[in-house]
Amino acid sequence: YKPICVYVGMGYGYRTLLWSTTNSDKAKVTSHSHSGLSMEAGLLCAIKRFGMSVGIITVDKKYNELKVGIGLTF
């Protein structure tokens, strides 16, 4: 269907979770920080001058994130 597209991407990614301590230092939370193979897949939809997207991202299959976007197309 012409106004709907599927996209897939792959690369290297990292996600680091940092907590701020009471004395303004930064502490890395290693149990929630991941790096490795990163993949993304989703759908793009264009209707007249508007574009919408929804996709999912994973980093090393341990961190997943849902993305939703809306915007104007040129």
Side-chain angles (χ1 to χ4, degrees), residues 5-32:
C5 303
V6 175
Y7 68 91
V8 177
M10 190 171 18
Y12 181 84
Y14 63 92
R15 177 192 186 260
T16 303
L17 178 61
L18 296 175
W19 285 350
S20 183
T21 62
T22 55
N23 60 356
S24 299
D25 289 337
K26 302 284 184 202
K28 179 179 177 180
V29 183
T30 56
S31 63
H32 288 83

Side-chain angles (χ1 to χ4, degrees), residues 33-47:
S33 299
H34 310 288
S35 64
L37 181 65
S38 179
M39 294 181 282
E40 182 175 358
L43 295 172
L44 297 170
C45 179
I47 301 171

